[in-house]
Amino acid sequence: MHNRVYRAAAIHDLSGFGRCSLAVIIPVLSAMGVQVCPVPTAVLSAHTGGLGEVEFRDLTDYLAPALAHYRRLELEFDCIYSGFLGSVDQIDHCLEFIAAWPQALAVVDPVMGDHGKAYQTYTPEMIRRMGELVAAADVITPNLTEACMLLGEPYRHQPLTRMEAKSMLARLSELGPDYVVITGVPVASLPGVANLGYDREKNAYWCSVSDYIPVSYPGTGDIFASVLTGAMLGGDSLPIAVSRATSFVQLAIKTTFSYGSDPRYGVMLERVLGWLHASDTPMNYQLL
């Protein structure tokens, strides 16, 4: 009888308030049957999206000793999953984690910017080095802003055509990853907002569409990438994994929006978390 629980090293920051980063990654993956070993890159009192001046502690010097300890313990990791990183040194540490467990699924969420702009903490050197981390990944989950940054091209303010979307997916895959998912993409021929996926081995392009809701919540990218990661570890194909992540994030957004909760506080994850282990397999995907 197989009773082993999948284990993931999650290399992300921890924001105490605002429902993002490790505060949502741990419960989401746990609900999907994955043991999360958090490797915090920084600790913040809250996220930096409009909640005043936050308390911040950089934990770069924690990462290498943590890695050394895990290696002494001879731990097995099924997944190495990285997100927001605060320095070039942290990119190096992520590469060391991936190299230490070469058989693990390497998921890189290249958190660098949004709405057409890079985050203030991201320098040109960090953007360049993020390309090295992407090259070592099996799966990447950029939003449209980050996809453009990785490709070194201007942000697309207009909806993409299907051909433009497929070209972007393929070119990102050429950087190294086997699976590319771009989140929150307006596509001219599709309603709402699309999450796009590409499987390089099968040369197959997929999309899953969610309704447009006129609000933006922190942490939804972290939740999407976490559901996608848990689904793929559990054996889902790429289109089903993208569909599952799309469905869950849409449920969380619509639930939160219906209550009129302050967007800065993130989605009401606690009200919807049970969906992850109680739902049927979602099939709201289509060929791109």
Side-chain angles (χ1 to χ4, degrees):
M1 177 178 173
H2 174 73
N3 61 0
R4 183 168 175 270
V5 174
Y6 290 112
R7 181 183 295 137
I11 311 171
H12 296 255
D13 67 286
L14 173 61
S15 292
F17 183 73
R19 295 190 183 100
C20 65
S21 59
L22 284 171
V24 297
I25 290 164
I26 294 171
V28 164
L29 281 172
S30 296
M32 299 183 75
V34 178
Q35 179 192 3
V36 183
C37 295
V39 185
T41 58
V43 176
L44 297 83
S45 55
H47 66 71
T48 57
L51 292 172
E53 185 174 348
V54 305
E55 288 298 320
F56 174 89
R57 302 290 184 273
D58 181 271
L59 295 179
T60 299
D61 61 358
Y62 166 78
L63 301 183
L67 169 61
H69 187 200
Y70 295 154
R71 296 185 75 171
R72 290 196 302 274
L73 291 173
E74 298 183 348
L75 293 181
E76 293 183 36
F77 283 110
D78 303 286
C79 177
I80 307 297
Y81 168 27
S82 71
F84 177 80
L85 304 173
S87 67
V88 170
D89 288 343
Q90 292 187 356
I91 293 174
D92 287 328
H93 292 313
C94 287
L95 288 168
E96 291 165 0
F97 264 86
I98 292 172
W101 287 275
Q103 302 306 314
L105 181 71
V107 180
V108 172
D109 186 7
V111 183
M112 299 187 292
D114 206 354
H115 306 296
K117 297 181 180 179
Y119 296 133
Q120 290 184 351
T121 56
Y122 261 78
T123 64
E125 172 67 5
M126 285 188 69
I127 295 170
R128 184 186 69 79
R129 293 297 310 283
M130 182 58 75
E132 295 180 29
L133 187 54
V134 163
D138 299 306
V139 185
I140 62 171
T141 60
N143 60 31
L144 183 57
T145 297
E146 293 151 355
C148 291
M149 292 168 66
L150 289 170
L151 293 173
E153 60 188 45
Y155 177 72
R156 311 289 187 91
H157 289 279
Q158 300 300 318
L160 304 183
T161 66
R162 287 179 182 253
M163 289 302 297
E164 288 171 336
K166 291 168 76 170
S167 172
M168 182 171 284
L169 288 164
R171 286 182 289 125
L172 285 168
S173 181
E174 289 171 1
L175 300 178
D178 296 319
Y179 305 96
V180 176
V181 177
I182 310 178
T183 60
V185 182
V187 178
S189 59
L190 296 172
V193 180
N195 297 311
L196 313 177
Y198 176 58
D199 181 331
R200 182 173 60 186
E201 181 180 354
K202 295 181 174 63
N203 193 32
Y205 299 86
W206 306 94
C207 67
S208 183
V209 179
S210 59
D211 297 334
Y212 171 73
I213 306 296
V215 67
S216 178
Y217 297 101
T220 51
D222 298 323
I223 294 170
F224 181 96
S226 297
V227 176
L228 181 85
T229 298
M232 294 186 75
L233 285 173
D236 278 356
S237 65
L238 181 65
I240 291 178
V242 171
S243 178
R244 195 181 301 278
T246 300
S247 298
F248 183 71
V249 171
Q250 179 172 247
L251 174 64
I253 289 174
K254 284 189 170 184
T255 298
T256 307
F257 187 69
S258 76
Y259 283 95
S261 175
D262 189 326
R264 296 175 300 168
Y265 298 171
V267 296
M268 300 171 75
L269 184 66
E270 302 80 9
R271 289 193 176 270
V272 298
L273 200 57
W275 182 92
L276 289 171
H277 53 75
S279 70
D280 295 328
T281 301
M283 295 291 183
N284 60 329
Y285 61 84
Q286 58 184 290
L287 286 169
L288 180 63

